[in-house]
Amino acid sequence: MYMENQDYIVCECNLEALEAFVTSIEPDFDIKIVRAPSICMTMVQAEDAVEYQPFYLGEALTTECELIVNNQKGYGICLGDEPVRCYCMAFFDAISQLIDIDLSKVNEFLNEQFLLIQQANKIEYNHIQRTKVDFKLMEQD
Amino acid sequence: MGYVAVKGGTDAIHNSHELVEFYRLKDAVTPIDIKQIRSQLRLAVDKVMGEGGLYAPDYAAIALKQAEGEVFEAAFIIRAFRTTLQRRFYSETINTRELFIKRKISASFREIPGGQILGPTRDYTQRILDTGKVDETAEDIQKFLEIFESKIDREKLQTVKTYTKVIDLLREEGLLKPIDKNEDRRLVDITREAIKFPAPRSARLQMMARAETGGLMAMGYSSMRGFGSVHPTVGELRYGHLPVRIKDPSGKIRYAGKIEITEAEMVSSVSAAKKNAIPKFTIGYGLCFGQNDTKVICMGILDSTMRSPDTGSPANDQEFVLYHTEGIEAMGFTNHLKLPHYVDFQSALSNIRSAMERNAEVKEGQKAEEVTFMQP
């Protein structure tokens, strides 16, 4: 699973499903919490889309977490006050770097969640598309 | 002017805080759930985040509940809250071309890439009070959602797309004014460095991104009405959500979630400075957290006005615009007037009384002189 996709899925998927899945596979690993999930801030950098002038848009509440899973470090960083999600993100980050580990169950879960997220996005997008407008000028038919 | 501090009043202040809670709760109605505020007062939450300078929808909802719906106060609470947290990360630069479009309109062009999408807007409504909201029930909400969901065919869903921007088309045609190489393009952070005037454009954009919507609107409106030089058109206005990426301590760039933003590019035409030169368009830029059309439109107008400094016009004066649209500071200063100023006032009172006494003495003296003069 491509790293960005993995993070994207963990950040956007249903929290209950994520927690249940991680809880179910956690016993198979040796987990040490280096930094328990805690909130902090991230300054969001933006740029004017015309002249590419960089500027700071404002901060975003962020949760960070650091784990060691089977001697492999894993980091979680996600927006919001999201201790469970952030822990899961760090957990996935660590296990995806482990060698000789069967990740088929993990990939299956992530793929399943990815399809659900994509479907939800598509549905929202299609609702939004219903508001597409083509104003005619008064002298036009 | 000097200030003299006051002391005491702790019990009364404590009781006053308790009384605030009493008036918030005295009717003993069902408490508002934070999820309800976040979901059903979406635009108020967006305003609190934008003006509080912190993207945190749940916390903004809590602040709104705590402040009994007072957006200024809620934004103030959020600003205070952010000072208690450590800034651990800087995001990668967000790319608004990646926006998941929820709204995308142009007042300049009828045909734009992907078409005009109204999205969620009250623009074309008549603002008629809907008294039906009084009796809204959970069943009504469910029924509405079922009907709404049935309006699209789930077997024929279009794929999600991103779209080229209108300004990209203008740029390709060479219609935009080139970047002024003399402009100060340094990246500064106004939360870490006190603003100095003239401020670089990055500082102006950052200050406006967390400025108060009403303040920006007043300034932008003044320019459009003639107390300034800019009356632009909406080149493009977009609202939606986009990804935020952060570099983790190992150096990997990670997807960390999405934020909602509104963005505006305001187009103004400028006449050529030199004879026979071709006039071009300039773009004023607006970007803020959440959905807030008014804010980004006015930010775009003021981005343009402040690039043509003129102390004779409030909207073209950086210091005037930036200091007076900073809602939290303006609110704080205004409200400090309620705090005890007894000594200042007593001193003013004493001065006026002395002046009156001196005046009365002079008049008495003049009267006495007149009487003496009249007596032979």
Side-chain angles (χ1 to χ4, degrees), chain B residues 146-221:
Chain B
E146 279 165 22
I147 295 170
F148 185 79
E149 288 300 332
S150 70
K151 291 189 173 172
I152 53 166
D153 184 350
R154 294 194 178 211
E155 301 302 316
K156 294 177 186 167
L157 293 178
Q158 300 173 52
T159 318
V160 179
K161 285 179 193 156
T162 53
Y163 302 98
T164 311
K165 281 172 164 256
V166 168
I167 45 139
D168 291 337
L169 304 177
L170 292 175
R171 186 189 289 114
E172 276 167 28
E173 276 195 65
L175 299 170
L176 299 183
K177 188 183 167 198
I179 297 172
D180 178 359
K181 285 175 187 160
N182 296 320
E183 191 172 48
D184 186 351
R185 287 179 64 86
R186 279 177 305 134
L187 174 61
V188 300
D189 180 356
I190 54 108
T191 67
R192 296 282 164 97
E193 198 180 315
I195 194 159
K196 286 181 195 147
F197 297 101
R201 187 159 173 250
S202 65
R204 305 195 306 256
L205 291 170
Q206 185 183 6
M207 274 200 85
M208 286 196 288
R210 66 182 210 157
E212 200 266 318
T213 307
L216 286 178
M217 185 174 71
M219 289 287 145
Y221 184 47

Coordinates of all heavy atoms in Angstrom, one line a residue, chain B residues 146-221:
Chain B
E146 N -33.4 11.0 3.2 CA -33.7 9.9 2.3 C -34.1 10.5 1.0 O -33.7 9.9 -0.1 CB -34.9 9.1 2.9 CG -34.4 8.1 4.0 CD -35.6 7.6 4.8 OE1 -36.7 7.7 4.4 OE2 -35.3 7.2 6.0
I147 N -34.9 11.5 1.0 CA -35.3 12.1 -0.3 C -34.1 12.7 -1.1 O -33.9 12.4 -2.3 CB -36.4 13.2 -0.1 CG1 -37.7 12.6 0.4 CG2 -36.7 13.9 -1.4 CD1 -38.7 13.5 0.9
F148 N -33.3 13.4 -0.3 CA -32.1 14.0 -0.9 C -31.2 12.9 -1.5 O -30.7 13.0 -2.7 CB -31.3 14.8 0.2 CG -30.1 15.5 -0.4 CD1 -30.3 16.7 -1.0 CD2 -28.8 15.0 -0.2 CE1 -29.2 17.4 -1.5 CE2 -27.7 15.7 -0.7 CZ -27.9 16.9 -1.4
E149 N -31.0 11.8 -0.8 CA -30.1 10.7 -1.3 C -30.7 10.1 -2.5 O -29.9 9.6 -3.4 CB -29.9 9.7 -0.2 CG -29.0 10.1 1.0 CD -27.6 10.4 0.6 OE1 -27.1 9.9 -0.4 OE2 -27.0 11.3 1.3
S150 N -32.0 10.1 -2.6 CA -32.6 9.4 -3.8 C -32.5 10.2 -5.1 O -32.8 9.7 -6.2 CB -34.1 9.1 -3.5 OG -34.8 10.4 -3.5
K151 N -32.0 11.4 -5.0 CA -31.9 12.3 -6.2 C -30.7 12.0 -7.1 O -30.6 12.6 -8.1 CB -31.9 13.8 -5.7 CG -33.3 14.1 -5.2 CD -33.5 15.6 -4.9 CE -35.0 15.8 -4.5 NZ -35.3 17.1 -4.1
I152 N -29.8 11.1 -6.7 CA -28.8 10.7 -7.6 C -28.8 9.2 -7.8 O -29.3 8.5 -7.0 CB -27.3 11.1 -7.1 CG1 -27.1 10.6 -5.7 CG2 -27.1 12.6 -7.1 CD1 -25.7 10.6 -5.2
D153 N -28.4 8.9 -9.0 CA -28.5 7.5 -9.4 C -27.1 6.9 -9.0 O -26.1 7.2 -9.6 CB -28.7 7.4 -10.9 CG -28.8 5.9 -11.4 OD1 -28.5 5.0 -10.5 OD2 -29.2 5.7 -12.5
R154 N -27.1 6.0 -8.0 CA -25.8 5.5 -7.5 C -25.2 4.5 -8.5 O -24.0 4.1 -8.4 CB -26.0 4.8 -6.2 CG -26.4 5.8 -5.1 CD -26.3 5.2 -3.8 NE -26.7 6.3 -2.8 CZ -26.2 6.4 -1.6 NH1 -25.3 5.6 -1.2 NH2 -26.5 7.4 -0.9
E155 N -25.9 4.1 -9.5 CA -25.3 3.2 -10.6 C -24.6 4.0 -11.6 O -23.8 3.5 -12.4 CB -26.4 2.4 -11.3 CG -27.3 1.5 -10.3 CD -26.4 0.5 -9.6 OE1 -25.5 -0.1 -10.2 OE2 -26.6 0.4 -8.3
K156 N -24.9 5.3 -11.7 CA -24.2 6.2 -12.7 C -23.5 7.3 -12.1 O -23.7 8.5 -12.4 CB -25.3 6.7 -13.6 CG -26.0 5.6 -14.5 CD -27.1 6.3 -15.3 CE -27.9 5.2 -16.0 NZ -29.2 5.7 -16.5
L157 N -22.6 7.1 -11.1 CA -21.9 8.2 -10.5 C -20.8 8.7 -11.3 O -20.0 7.8 -11.9 CB -21.4 7.7 -9.1 CG -22.5 7.4 -8.0 CD1 -21.8 6.9 -6.8 CD2 -23.3 8.6 -7.7
Q158 N -20.6 10.0 -11.4 CA -19.5 10.6 -12.1 C -18.3 10.5 -11.2 O -18.4 10.5 -10.0 CB -19.7 12.0 -12.4 CG -20.9 12.4 -13.2 CD -21.1 13.9 -13.2 OE1 -20.2 14.7 -13.5 NE2 -22.3 14.4 -12.9
T159 N -17.1 10.4 -11.8 CA -15.8 10.3 -11.1 C -15.5 11.7 -10.6 O -15.7 12.7 -11.2 CB -14.7 9.9 -12.0 OG1 -15.2 8.8 -12.8 CG2 -13.5 9.4 -11.2
V160 N -14.9 11.8 -9.4 CA -14.5 13.1 -8.8 C -13.4 13.7 -9.6 O -12.4 13.0 -10.0 CB -14.0 12.8 -7.3 CG1 -13.5 14.2 -6.7 CG2 -15.1 12.2 -6.5
K161 N -13.5 15.0 -9.9 CA -12.5 15.7 -10.7 C -12.0 16.9 -10.0 O -12.8 17.5 -9.2 CB -13.1 16.1 -12.1 CG -13.3 15.0 -13.0 CD -14.0 15.5 -14.3 CE -14.5 14.4 -15.2 NZ -15.6 14.8 -16.0
T162 N -10.8 17.4 -10.4 CA -10.4 18.7 -10.0 C -10.3 19.5 -11.3 O -10.3 19.0 -12.4 CB -9.0 18.7 -9.4 OG1 -8.1 18.0 -10.2 CG2 -9.0 18.0 -8.0
Y163 N -10.4 20.9 -11.1 CA -10.5 21.7 -12.3 C -9.4 22.8 -12.4 O -9.0 23.3 -11.4 CB -11.9 22.4 -12.3 CG -13.0 21.4 -12.2 CD1 -13.6 21.1 -11.0 CD2 -13.5 20.8 -13.4 CE1 -14.6 20.2 -10.9 CE2 -14.5 19.8 -13.3 CZ -15.1 19.6 -12.1 OH -16.1 18.6 -12.0
T164 N -9.1 23.1 -13.7 CA -8.2 24.2 -13.9 C -8.9 25.5 -13.4 O -10.1 25.7 -13.4 CB -8.0 24.4 -15.4 OG1 -7.7 23.1 -16.0 CG2 -6.9 25.4 -15.8
K165 N -8.0 26.4 -12.9 CA -8.5 27.7 -12.4 C -8.7 28.7 -13.5 O -8.0 28.7 -14.5 CB -7.5 28.3 -11.4 CG -7.6 27.6 -10.1 CD -6.5 28.1 -9.2 CE -6.7 27.8 -7.8 NZ -7.2 29.0 -7.0
V166 N -9.7 29.6 -13.3 CA -9.9 30.7 -14.3 C -8.6 31.5 -14.5 O -8.3 31.9 -15.6 CB -11.1 31.6 -13.8 CG1 -11.2 32.9 -14.6 CG2 -12.4 30.8 -13.8
I167 N -8.0 31.8 -13.3 CA -6.8 32.7 -13.5 C -5.7 32.0 -14.3 O -4.9 32.7 -14.9 CB -6.2 33.1 -12.1 CG1 -6.1 31.9 -11.2 CG2 -6.9 34.3 -11.5 CD1 -4.9 31.9 -10.4
D168 N -5.6 30.7 -14.3 CA -4.6 30.0 -15.1 C -4.9 30.3 -16.6 O -3.9 30.5 -17.4 CB -4.7 28.5 -14.9 CG -4.2 28.1 -13.5 OD1 -3.4 29.0 -12.9 OD2 -4.5 27.1 -13.0
L169 N -6.2 30.4 -17.0 CA -6.5 30.7 -18.3 C -6.1 32.2 -18.7 O -5.5 32.4 -19.7 CB -8.0 30.6 -18.6 CG -8.6 29.2 -18.2 CD1 -10.1 29.1 -18.5 CD2 -7.9 28.1 -19.1
L170 N -6.3 33.1 -17.7 CA -5.9 34.5 -17.9 C -4.4 34.6 -18.1 O -3.9 35.4 -18.9 CB -6.4 35.4 -16.8 CG -7.9 35.6 -16.6 CD1 -8.2 36.4 -15.3 CD2 -8.5 36.3 -17.8
R171 N -3.7 33.8 -17.2 CA -2.3 33.9 -17.3 C -1.7 33.4 -18.6 O -0.8 34.0 -19.2 CB -1.7 33.1 -16.1 CG -0.1 33.2 -16.0 CD 0.5 32.3 -15.1 NE 0.2 32.7 -13.7 CZ -0.5 31.9 -12.8 NH1 -1.0 30.8 -13.2 NH2 -0.7 32.3 -11.6
E172 N -2.3 32.2 -19.0 CA -1.9 31.6 -20.3 C -2.0 32.6 -21.5 O -1.2 32.6 -22.4 CB -2.7 30.4 -20.6 CG -2.2 29.1 -19.9 CD -3.1 28.0 -20.0 OE1 -3.9 27.9 -20.9 OE2 -3.1 27.1 -19.1
E173 N -3.1 33.5 -21.4 CA -3.3 34.5 -22.5 C -2.4 35.7 -22.3 O -2.5 36.6 -23.1 CB -4.8 34.9 -22.5 CG -5.6 33.9 -23.3 CD -7.0 34.6 -23.6 OE1 -7.0 35.6 -24.3 OE2 -8.0 34.1 -23.0
G174 N -1.7 35.8 -21.2 CA -0.8 36.9 -20.9 C -1.6 38.2 -20.5 O -1.1 39.3 -20.8
L175 N -2.7 38.0 -19.9 CA -3.6 39.1 -19.5 C -3.3 39.6 -18.1 O -3.9 40.7 -17.7 CB -5.1 38.7 -19.6 CG -5.6 38.2 -21.0 CD1 -6.9 37.6 -20.9 CD2 -5.6 39.4 -21.9
L176 N -2.5 38.9 -17.4 CA -2.2 39.4 -16.0 C -1.0 40.3 -15.9 O 0.0 40.1 -16.6 CB -2.0 38.1 -15.1 CG -3.2 37.2 -14.9 CD1 -2.8 36.1 -14.0 CD2 -4.5 37.9 -14.5
K177 N -1.1 41.2 -15.0 CA 0.0 42.1 -14.7 C 1.2 41.3 -14.2 O 1.0 40.5 -13.2 CB -0.4 43.2 -13.8 CG 0.5 44.3 -13.6 CD 0.0 45.3 -12.5 CE 1.2 46.2 -12.1 NZ 0.9 46.9 -10.8
P178 N 2.4 41.5 -14.7 CA 3.5 40.7 -14.2 C 3.8 41.1 -12.7 O 3.4 42.2 -12.2 CB 4.7 41.2 -15.0 CG 4.1 42.0 -16.1 CD 2.8 42.4 -15.7
I179 N 4.5 40.2 -12.0 CA 4.8 40.4 -10.6 C 5.8 41.6 -10.5 O 6.7 41.7 -11.3 CB 5.5 39.1 -10.0 CG1 4.5 37.9 -10.1 CG2 6.0 39.3 -8.6 CD1 5.1 36.6 -9.7
D180 N 5.5 42.4 -9.5 CA 6.3 43.6 -9.2 C 7.6 43.1 -8.5 O 7.5 42.6 -7.3 CB 5.5 44.6 -8.4 CG 6.4 45.8 -8.0 OD1 7.5 45.9 -8.4 OD2 5.8 46.7 -7.3
K181 N 8.7 43.2 -9.1 CA 9.9 42.6 -8.5 C 10.4 43.4 -7.3 O 11.2 43.0 -6.5 CB 11.0 42.6 -9.6 CG 10.8 41.4 -10.6 CD 11.8 41.4 -11.7 CE 11.5 40.4 -12.7 NZ 12.1 40.6 -14.0
N182 N 9.9 44.6 -7.2 CA 10.3 45.5 -6.0 C 9.4 45.2 -4.8 O 9.7 45.7 -3.7 CB 10.2 47.0 -6.4 CG 11.1 47.3 -7.5 OD1 12.3 46.8 -7.5 ND2 10.7 48.1 -8.4
E183 N 8.4 44.4 -4.9 CA 7.5 44.1 -3.8 C 8.2 43.2 -2.8 O 9.0 42.3 -3.1 CB 6.2 43.5 -4.2 CG 5.2 43.5 -3.1 CD 3.8 43.0 -3.6 OE1 3.7 41.9 -4.3 OE2 2.8 43.6 -3.3
D184 N 8.0 43.5 -1.5 CA 8.6 42.7 -0.4 C 7.9 41.4 -0.3 O 6.7 41.3 0.1 CB 8.4 43.5 0.9 CG 9.2 42.8 2.1 OD1 9.6 41.7 1.9 OD2 9.3 43.5 3.1
R185 N 8.6 40.3 -0.7 CA 8.0 39.0 -0.8 C 8.5 38.1 0.3 O 8.3 36.8 0.3 CB 8.3 38.3 -2.2 CG 7.5 38.9 -3.3 CD 7.8 38.3 -4.6 NE 7.5 36.9 -4.7 CZ 6.2 36.4 -5.0 NH1 5.3 37.3 -5.3 NH2 6.0 35.1 -5.1
R186 N 9.1 38.6 1.4 CA 9.5 37.8 2.5 C 8.4 37.1 3.2 O 7.3 37.7 3.2 CB 10.2 38.7 3.6 CG 11.6 39.1 3.3 CD 12.1 40.0 4.4 NE 11.3 41.2 4.5 CZ 10.8 41.7 5.7 NH1 11.2 41.1 6.8 NH2 10.1 42.7 5.8
L187 N 8.6 35.9 3.7 CA 7.6 35.2 4.4 C 7.8 35.5 5.9 O 8.8 35.1 6.5 CB 7.7 33.7 4.2 CG 6.8 32.8 5.0 CD1 5.4 33.0 4.7 CD2 7.1 31.3 4.7
V188 N 6.8 36.2 6.5 CA 6.9 36.5 7.9 C 5.7 35.9 8.6 O 4.7 35.6 8.0 CB 7.0 38.0 8.2 CG1 8.2 38.6 7.6 CG2 5.8 38.7 7.8
D189 N 5.9 35.7 9.9 CA 4.8 35.1 10.7 C 4.3 36.1 11.7 O 5.1 36.4 12.7 CB 5.3 33.8 11.4 CG 4.2 33.1 12.2 OD1 3.1 33.7 12.3 OD2 4.5 32.0 12.7
I190 N 3.2 36.7 11.6 CA 2.7 37.8 12.5 C 2.4 37.3 13.9 O 2.2 38.1 14.8 CB 1.6 38.6 11.9 CG1 0.4 37.7 11.5 CG2 2.0 39.4 10.7 CD1 -0.8 37.8 12.4
T191 N 2.4 36.0 14.1 CA 2.2 35.5 15.4 C 3.5 35.4 16.2 O 3.5 35.2 17.4 CB 1.5 34.1 15.4 OG1 2.3 33.1 14.9 CG2 0.2 34.1 14.7
R192 N 4.6 35.6 15.5 CA 5.9 35.5 16.1 C 6.7 36.8 16.0 O 7.7 37.0 16.7 CB 6.7 34.4 15.4 CG 6.1 33.0 15.6 CD 6.4 32.4 16.9 NE 5.6 31.3 17.3 CZ 6.0 30.0 17.2 NH1 7.2 29.7 16.7 NH2 5.2 29.0 17.6
E193 N 6.3 37.6 15.1 CA 7.0 38.8 14.8 C 6.0 40.0 14.7 O 5.1 39.9 14.0 CB 7.7 38.7 13.4 CG 8.8 39.6 13.1 CD 9.4 39.3 11.7 OE1 9.6 38.1 11.4 OE2 9.6 40.3 11.0
A194 N 6.3 41.0 15.6 CA 5.3 42.1 15.6 C 5.3 42.8 14.2 O 6.3 43.0 13.6 CB 5.7 43.2 16.6
I195 N 4.1 43.1 13.8 CA 4.0 43.7 12.4 C 4.6 45.1 12.4 O 4.4 45.9 13.3 CB 2.5 43.6 11.9 CG1 2.4 43.9 10.4 CG2 1.6 44.6 12.7 CD1 1.2 43.4 9.8
K196 N 5.3 45.4 11.3 CA 5.8 46.8 11.1 C 5.3 47.2 9.7 O 5.1 46.4 8.8 CB 7.3 46.8 11.1 CG 7.9 46.6 12.4 CD 9.5 46.6 12.3 CE 10.1 46.0 13.6 NZ 11.3 45.3 13.4
F197 N 5.1 48.5 9.6 CA 4.6 49.0 8.3 C 5.6 49.8 7.6 O 6.4 50.5 8.2 CB 3.3 49.9 8.6 CG 2.2 49.1 9.2 CD1 2.0 49.2 10.5 CD2 1.5 48.3 8.4 CE1 0.9 48.5 11.1 CE2 0.4 47.5 9.0 CZ 0.2 47.6 10.3
P198 N 5.7 49.7 6.3 CA 4.9 48.8 5.4 C 5.2 47.4 5.6 O 6.4 47.0 5.7 CB 5.3 49.3 4.0 CG 6.7 49.9 4.1 CD 6.8 50.4 5.5
A199 N 4.1 46.5 5.7 CA 4.3 45.1 6.0 C 4.4 44.3 4.7 O 3.8 44.7 3.7 CB 3.1 44.6 6.7
P200 N 5.3 43.3 4.7 CA 5.3 42.5 3.5 C 4.0 41.8 3.2 O 3.1 41.7 4.1 CB 6.4 41.4 3.8 CG 6.6 41.5 5.2 CD 6.1 42.8 5.7
R201 N 3.8 41.4 1.9 CA 2.5 40.9 1.5 C 2.1 39.7 2.3 O 0.9 39.5 2.6 CB 2.5 40.6 0.0 CG 1.1 40.3 -0.5 CD 1.0 40.5 -2.0 NE -0.3 39.9 -2.5 CZ -0.4 38.9 -3.2 NH1 0.7 38.2 -3.6 NH2 -1.6 38.4 -3.6
S202 N 3.1 38.8 2.7 CA 2.8 37.6 3.4 C 2.1 38.0 4.8 O 1.2 37.3 5.2 CB 4.0 36.8 3.6 OG 4.9 37.5 4.5
A203 N 2.6 39.0 5.4 CA 2.0 39.5 6.7 C 0.6 40.0 6.5 O -0.3 39.7 7.3 CB 2.9 40.5 7.3
R204 N 0.4 40.7 5.4 CA -0.9 41.3 5.2 C -1.9 40.1 4.9 O -3.0 40.1 5.5 CB -0.9 42.2 4.0 CG 0.1 43.3 4.1 CD 0.0 44.5 3.1 NE -0.1 44.1 1.7 CZ 0.9 44.3 0.9 NH1 2.1 44.8 1.3 NH2 0.8 44.0 -0.4
L205 N -1.5 39.1 4.1 CA -2.4 38.0 3.8 C -2.7 37.2 5.1 O -3.9 36.8 5.4 CB -1.9 37.1 2.7 CG -1.8 37.7 1.3 CD1 -1.0 36.8 0.4 CD2 -3.2 38.0 0.8
Q206 N -1.7 37.0 5.9 CA -1.9 36.2 7.2 C -2.8 37.0 8.1 O -3.7 36.4 8.7 CB -0.5 36.0 7.9 CG -0.7 35.1 9.1 CD 0.7 34.9 9.8 OE1 1.7 35.5 9.5 NE2 0.7 34.0 10.8
M207 N -2.6 38.3 8.2 CA -3.5 39.1 9.1 C -4.9 39.1 8.7 O -5.9 38.9 9.4 CB -3.0 40.5 9.3 CG -1.9 40.6 10.3 SD -1.7 42.3 10.9 CE -2.9 42.5 12.2
M208 N -5.1 39.2 7.3 CA -6.5 39.2 6.8 C -7.1 37.8 6.9 O -8.4 37.7 7.2 CB -6.5 39.7 5.4 CG -6.3 41.2 5.3 SD -6.7 41.8 3.6 CE -5.4 41.2 2.6
A209 N -6.3 36.8 6.8 CA -6.9 35.4 6.9 C -7.5 35.2 8.3 O -8.5 34.4 8.4 CB -5.8 34.4 6.7
R210 N -7.0 35.9 9.3 CA -7.6 35.7 10.7 C -8.3 37.0 11.1 O -8.6 37.1 12.3 CB -6.6 35.2 11.7 CG -5.5 36.2 12.0 CD -4.5 35.5 12.9 NE -3.9 36.4 13.8 CZ -3.4 36.1 15.0 NH1 -3.4 34.9 15.5 NH2 -2.8 37.0 15.7
A211 N -8.6 37.9 10.2 CA -9.3 39.1 10.6 C -10.8 38.9 10.7 O -11.3 37.8 10.4 CB -9.0 40.2 9.5
E212 N -11.5 39.9 11.2 CA -12.9 39.7 11.5 C -13.6 40.0 10.2 O -13.4 41.0 9.5 CB -13.3 40.7 12.6 CG -14.6 40.4 13.3 CD -15.7 41.1 12.7 OE1 -15.6 42.3 12.3 OE2 -16.8 40.5 12.5
T213 N -14.6 39.2 9.9 CA -15.3 39.3 8.6 C -16.0 40.6 8.4 O -15.9 41.3 7.4 CB -16.3 38.1 8.5 OG1 -15.7 36.9 8.8 CG2 -17.0 38.1 7.1
G214 N -16.7 41.1 9.5 CA -17.4 42.4 9.4 C -16.4 43.5 9.1 O -16.7 44.4 8.4
G215 N -15.3 43.5 9.8 CA -14.3 44.5 9.6 C -13.7 44.6 8.2 O -13.7 45.6 7.5
L216 N -13.4 43.4 7.7 CA -12.9 43.3 6.3 C -14.0 43.8 5.3 O -13.7 44.5 4.3 CB -12.6 41.8 5.9 CG -11.3 41.3 6.5 CD1 -11.1 39.8 6.1 CD2 -10.0 42.1 6.1
M217 N -15.2 43.4 5.6 CA -16.3 43.8 4.7 C -16.5 45.3 4.7 O -16.7 45.9 3.7 CB -17.6 43.1 5.2 CG -18.8 43.4 4.2 SD -20.2 42.4 4.7 CE -20.7 43.3 6.2
A218 N -16.4 45.9 5.9 CA -16.6 47.4 6.0 C -15.5 48.1 5.1 O -15.8 49.0 4.4 CB -16.5 47.9 7.4
M219 N -14.3 47.6 5.3 CA -13.2 48.2 4.5 C -13.3 47.9 3.0 O -13.1 48.8 2.2 CB -11.8 47.6 5.0 CG -11.4 48.0 6.3 SD -10.8 49.7 6.3 CE -11.4 50.2 7.8
G220 N -13.6 46.7 2.6 CA -13.8 46.3 1.2 C -14.9 47.1 0.6 O -14.8 47.7 -0.5
Y221 N -16.0 47.3 1.4 CA -17.2 48.0 0.9 C -16.8 49.5 0.7 O -17.3 50.1 -0.3 CB -18.3 47.8 1.9 CG -19.7 48.4 1.5 CD1 -20.2 48.1 0.3 CD2 -20.4 49.1 2.5 CE1 -21.5 48.7 0.0 CE2 -21.6 49.6 2.2 CZ -22.2 49.4 0.9 OH -23.4 49.9 0.6

